[in-house]
Amino acid sequence: MVLCFGVRSGSGAMEDKHHVMMESLHLVQRGEAEQAFNMLDSALEQATEENHVTWIRILCRRAAVVAHVAGDRRREIRYTEKALPYAKDYSFAIYNFAQLLLRDGQADLAKRYATKAYELSTPGGTVADRDLAAALLKQWPEIAENR
């Protein structure tokens, strides 16, 4: 079955998603960001309908990068947030999302996400968890007091 922008389900789906990835970058480089977003949104919709978690993560990340390159912070935030439920490491994903929100001037919302990242990282016993908690406390020392 062929869907919008040549994205198919079945055996050609992966090749078509790779094409979407490459073509979206070419489009934004040519100043055709809206077409790139339309292509990515179509592929992302299909990946979501088919519950292809890996492709959802990949396409959301690509769309966020395209939005960043295009200077569209609103879309960058939207695509990054859409990827959060599919993140392999949710605490790091929401930390990075908090950083993006902070750069956008959304300090209160960023702090809420940072607090959640801290809550998730502190019970973890890994070096990465401890490093994340330390980075969070360096930027938002007050989140430890709210626990």
Side-chain angles (χ1 to χ4, degrees):
M1 175 169 141
V2 177
L3 297 178
C4 297
F5 301 103
V7 179
R8 291 182 279 253
S9 59
S11 63
M14 187 160 39
E15 292 83 7
D16 287 339
K17 287 182 180 78
H18 282 288
H19 172 76
V20 167
M21 298 279 291
M22 296 305 298
E23 185 60 23
S24 64
L25 186 57
H26 292 131
L27 286 167
V28 78
Q29 289 172 338
R30 292 192 310 256
E32 300 174 26
E34 283 305 313
Q35 291 88 336
F37 291 125
N38 289 337
M39 181 179 277
L40 286 161
D41 286 342
S42 178
L44 188 53
E45 182 179 335
Q46 180 184 0
T48 302
E49 287 172 2
E50 295 174 356
N51 199 29
H52 288 176
V53 173
T54 299
W55 275 110
I56 294 168
R57 279 194 303 262
I58 291 168
L59 290 165
C60 282
R61 184 69 198 130
R62 174 54 60 107
V65 168
V66 168
H68 180 80
V69 169
D72 190 336
R73 178 90 36 91
R74 180 187 58 81
R75 275 191 170 131
E76 183 180 3
I77 290 169
R78 181 171 57 97
Y79 288 121
T80 302
E81 184 174 28
K82 184 174 182 66
L84 289 177
Y86 306 99
K88 287 184 179 180
D89 190 331
Y90 188 67
S91 58
F92 278 91
I94 61 175
Y95 167 74
N96 289 323
F97 187 58
Q99 294 292 333
L100 177 59
L101 291 170
L102 194 60
R103 287 191 302 275
D104 191 53
Q106 299 183 51
D108 290 339
L109 186 55
K111 184 177 173 182
R112 280 187 266 166
Y113 277 96
T115 300
K116 183 64 175 171
Y118 182 74
E119 290 169 355
L120 292 170
S121 67
T122 51
T126 68
V127 171
D129 288 328
R130 289 189 295 275
D131 288 349
L132 178 58
L136 286 157
L137 289 177
K138 184 175 180 180
Q139 188 159 12
W140 290 282
E142 66 279 5
I143 64 176
E145 299 163 9
N146 297 339
R147 272 182 54 93

Short mmCIF file of all heavy atoms in Angstrom, two decimals, residues 5 19-20 23 33 57 78 90 93 102 109 113 115 132 137:
data_model
loop_
_atom_site.label_atom_id
_atom_site.label_comp_id
_atom_site.label_asym_id
_atom_site.label_seq_id
_atom_site.Cartn_x
_atom_site.Cartn_y
_atom_site.Cartn_z
N PHE A 5 3.77 10.79 -0.13
CA PHE A 5 5.20 11.02 -0.27
C PHE A 5 5.97 9.73 -0.45
O PHE A 5 7.13 9.63 -0.10
CB PHE A 5 5.75 11.82 0.91
CG PHE A 5 5.10 13.16 1.06
CD1 PHE A 5 4.14 13.36 2.02
CD2 PHE A 5 5.40 14.18 0.19
CE1 PHE A 5 3.52 14.59 2.14
CE2 PHE A 5 4.79 15.41 0.31
CZ PHE A 5 3.84 15.61 1.28
N HIS A 19 14.65 7.41 2.46
CA HIS A 19 14.50 8.45 1.44
C HIS A 19 13.92 9.72 2.07
O HIS A 19 14.39 10.83 1.77
CB HIS A 19 13.59 7.95 0.30
CG HIS A 19 13.23 9.03 -0.66
ND1 HIS A 19 14.10 9.51 -1.61
CD2 HIS A 19 12.09 9.75 -0.80
CE1 HIS A 19 13.52 10.48 -2.29
NE2 HIS A 19 12.30 10.63 -1.82
N VAL A 20 12.91 9.57 2.90
CA VAL A 20 12.30 10.73 3.58
C VAL A 20 13.36 11.45 4.41
O VAL A 20 13.43 12.68 4.42
CB VAL A 20 11.11 10.28 4.46
CG1 VAL A 20 10.67 11.39 5.40
CG2 VAL A 20 9.94 9.85 3.58
N GLU A 23 15.74 13.22 1.83
CA GLU A 23 15.06 14.25 1.06
C GLU A 23 14.64 15.43 1.95
O GLU A 23 14.70 16.58 1.53
CB GLU A 23 13.85 13.67 0.34
CG GLU A 23 13.14 14.63 -0.58
CD GLU A 23 14.02 15.18 -1.71
OE1 GLU A 23 15.02 14.55 -2.08
OE2 GLU A 23 13.68 16.27 -2.22
N ALA A 33 11.43 24.32 3.65
CA ALA A 33 11.20 23.68 4.95
C ALA A 33 9.78 23.13 5.09
O ALA A 33 9.60 22.04 5.65
CB ALA A 33 11.51 24.66 6.08
N ARG A 57 11.14 7.46 16.86
CA ARG A 57 12.28 8.17 17.47
C ARG A 57 13.14 8.84 16.41
O ARG A 57 13.51 10.01 16.54
CB ARG A 57 13.13 7.20 18.29
CG ARG A 57 12.61 6.91 19.65
CD ARG A 57 13.65 6.24 20.54
NE ARG A 57 14.20 5.02 19.98
CZ ARG A 57 13.80 3.80 20.31
NH1 ARG A 57 12.83 3.64 21.20
NH2 ARG A 57 14.36 2.75 19.77
N ARG A 78 7.98 20.90 19.56
CA ARG A 78 6.88 19.96 19.34
C ARG A 78 7.39 18.56 18.96
O ARG A 78 6.95 17.55 19.51
CB ARG A 78 5.95 20.49 18.25
CG ARG A 78 4.75 19.58 17.98
CD ARG A 78 3.73 20.23 17.07
NE ARG A 78 4.24 20.66 15.80
CZ ARG A 78 4.15 19.94 14.67
NH1 ARG A 78 3.59 18.76 14.69
NH2 ARG A 78 4.63 20.41 13.54
N TYR A 90 14.50 7.85 29.29
CA TYR A 90 13.55 8.94 29.49
C TYR A 90 14.13 10.08 30.32
O TYR A 90 13.90 11.25 30.01
CB TYR A 90 12.27 8.38 30.14
CG TYR A 90 11.15 9.38 30.21
CD1 TYR A 90 10.53 9.84 29.05
CD2 TYR A 90 10.71 9.86 31.43
CE1 TYR A 90 9.49 10.75 29.11
CE2 TYR A 90 9.67 10.79 31.50
CZ TYR A 90 9.07 11.22 30.34
OH TYR A 90 8.04 12.13 30.40
N ALA A 93 16.28 12.13 28.14
CA ALA A 93 15.45 12.79 27.12
C ALA A 93 14.72 14.00 27.70
O ALA A 93 14.69 15.06 27.07
CB ALA A 93 14.45 11.80 26.54
N LEU A 102 14.34 25.78 28.13
CA LEU A 102 15.06 26.89 28.75
C LEU A 102 15.60 27.85 27.69
O LEU A 102 15.48 29.07 27.83
CB LEU A 102 16.19 26.34 29.62
CG LEU A 102 16.84 27.31 30.59
CD1 LEU A 102 15.82 27.85 31.59
CD2 LEU A 102 17.97 26.60 31.34
N LEU A 109 8.49 25.79 32.89
CA LEU A 109 8.23 24.47 32.32
C LEU A 109 9.52 23.65 32.26
O LEU A 109 9.53 22.45 32.56
CB LEU A 109 7.60 24.60 30.93
CG LEU A 109 7.13 23.32 30.27
CD1 LEU A 109 6.14 22.54 31.16
CD2 LEU A 109 6.49 23.63 28.92
N TYR A 113 10.33 19.85 34.00
CA TYR A 113 10.93 18.68 33.34
C TYR A 113 12.26 18.31 34.01
O TYR A 113 12.57 17.13 34.17
CB TYR A 113 11.12 18.93 31.84
CG TYR A 113 9.86 18.66 31.06
CD1 TYR A 113 8.99 19.68 30.71
CD2 TYR A 113 9.53 17.37 30.66
CE1 TYR A 113 7.82 19.43 30.00
CE2 TYR A 113 8.37 17.10 29.94
CZ TYR A 113 7.53 18.15 29.63
OH TYR A 113 6.37 17.88 28.92
N THR A 115 13.04 18.75 37.11
CA THR A 115 12.70 18.12 38.39
C THR A 115 12.34 16.65 38.17
O THR A 115 12.78 15.77 38.92
CB THR A 115 11.54 18.87 39.08
OG1 THR A 115 11.95 20.22 39.31
CG2 THR A 115 11.14 18.22 40.38
N LEU A 132 23.97 12.74 35.51
CA LEU A 132 22.77 13.51 35.16
C LEU A 132 22.27 14.29 36.36
O LEU A 132 21.97 15.49 36.26
CB LEU A 132 21.67 12.60 34.61
CG LEU A 132 20.35 13.29 34.26
CD1 LEU A 132 20.55 14.39 33.23
CD2 LEU A 132 19.34 12.27 33.77
N LEU A 137 21.52 19.42 39.19
CA LEU A 137 21.69 20.22 40.40
C LEU A 137 22.57 21.44 40.16
O LEU A 137 22.39 22.47 40.81
CB LEU A 137 22.26 19.37 41.53
CG LEU A 137 21.29 18.36 42.11
CD1 LEU A 137 21.99 17.50 43.17
CD2 LEU A 137 20.05 19.03 42.69
#
